[in-house]
Amino acid sequence: MVCTMAFLRALLSTARMIRHSPPLSAGLPADDAVLLDAPDERLSPALVAAALGDHGPAAGLLAATRSDADWEMRDRYLGRLVTFARHRDGWLTDWLAAAPRDPDALLVKAELAVRRAWESPARSERLHEVGPMITAAAEADPRDPVPWRLALDHARGTHATHTAFESLWEQAVRRSAHHYGCHVAALRYLSAAWYGSHRECFDFAERAAEDAVPDSLVQALPVRAAFALLLDTQAAGRTTSVLEERIDAAADAAIRLSAAHRPGDPWPAEVRNLLAYVLLARGRWAEALDQFTLIGRHATSFPWSSLSDDALGRFLDARDGARLQVASMTPLRNRADRGRPRGHYA
C-alpha cells in the first residue's frame, strides 16, 4: 500500500507539472533572452569603447558618478570595468599614462590590483604590496567611500585585527553611512569563513538593515548572511532552528524590498537573484518563482557562480526547478473548474 500511494502521488505530480507548467512560464523570458550581468545604457558604451582601446567613455562615466556623489553606482560600474580589465587592460594602461593622478583611473588600478592579489597563491604578500595603491585612490578624492570599501576587502585578506578593521570601517561610513559595498565587505569580514560567526553576521546584518534608509539595498544584508549560512550548513548537513527562523525573516524582509522596485529593474537584480536562491533552499517555491518573474532577463553572476562554473546555466536550472515545483503542487482542478463538465481524463 505504501508503494502504491507513493506511485499515485508521483503520477499526480507529473500530471500537474504537465498541465500547469506552460501557464507558469508566461511571465518568464525565454532562456535565450536571459543575460548574465547585462550592462545598463550608461555602462554599455564604456565597455564597447574599452574593447576598442578607448578609455574616454569609462573615464567620463566614473567622473560623472564622482561629480554626482553617486557612490553606489560608482562602485557598481567600477566592478564591471575591472572585470573587463582583468582580461583586457590596455585601455587602462593608456588612461593612467595620460592622467596618472586621475582619481577614477587610480581607483580602477587599485581595484584591479586587489582582485589579482586575491587570486594569487601568495595572496597575503601580494595584498600587502597593493596597499599603497588603495591609499593613493583614497587620497585622490577624500569624499569617496569606494576606496575604503577596497581597504576593507584588503584588510580581510591581510588578516587585519578587529581594531584595525573598525578604524577602516569608521572612515568608510563617515563618507557614506549606508554604502552597500562597504556593508558587504564588513559582513564578509564577520563571516564564519573569516573572523566571525554566523550569529555575528546576522547580528550585524539585521542591525544595519534596521538603520538603512527606505528601499536601500542594505536592507537585503540579512539575506546575504542567510546565503552564507545555507552554503555552510548544506556542506555540513546541519543547521539550527533559531538560525532557520532568521533565514526566513531575512527572506521576508528581502521580499518586501524587492516589491519596492519595479519588475525587471537591473538595480535590485543581484538581490533578487540571491533571494530566489534562498527561497529555493527553504522550499518556498512559489515565492521563488515570483522573484524569477521580477528578475526578468537580469540574471547575475552572484550567487550562482558560487555554486557552479556555469552561472547562467545554474540560474536557468533553478528557475525551471521553481516553475516545475509550483506546477507539481497546483491542484489539477481549481475551484472555478469544479462546476464545469469535463471529459473522462480531465
Side-chain angles (χ1 to χ4, degrees), residues 40-55:
D40 65 18
E41 65 278 0
R42 297 175 66 192
L43 179 61
S44 290
L47 291 174
V48 171
L52 299 174
D54 180 8
H55 64 269

Side-chain angles (χ1 to χ4, degrees), residues 202 205-206 209-210 219-226 229-230 241-257 275 278-279 282 284 287:
F202 271 106
E206 288 165 357
E210 289 173 2
Q219 292 182 354
L221 215 59
V223 88
R224 289 191 74 110
L229 173 62
L230 286 167
S241 58
V242 174
L243 289 177
E244 286 178 353
E245 291 175 3
R246 296 178 87 167
I247 291 172
D248 285 330
D252 292 340
I255 288 171
R256 292 191 293 271
L257 175 64
L275 173 57
V278 171
L279 291 169
R282 296 295 296 148
R284 297 169 62 171
E287 291 165 302

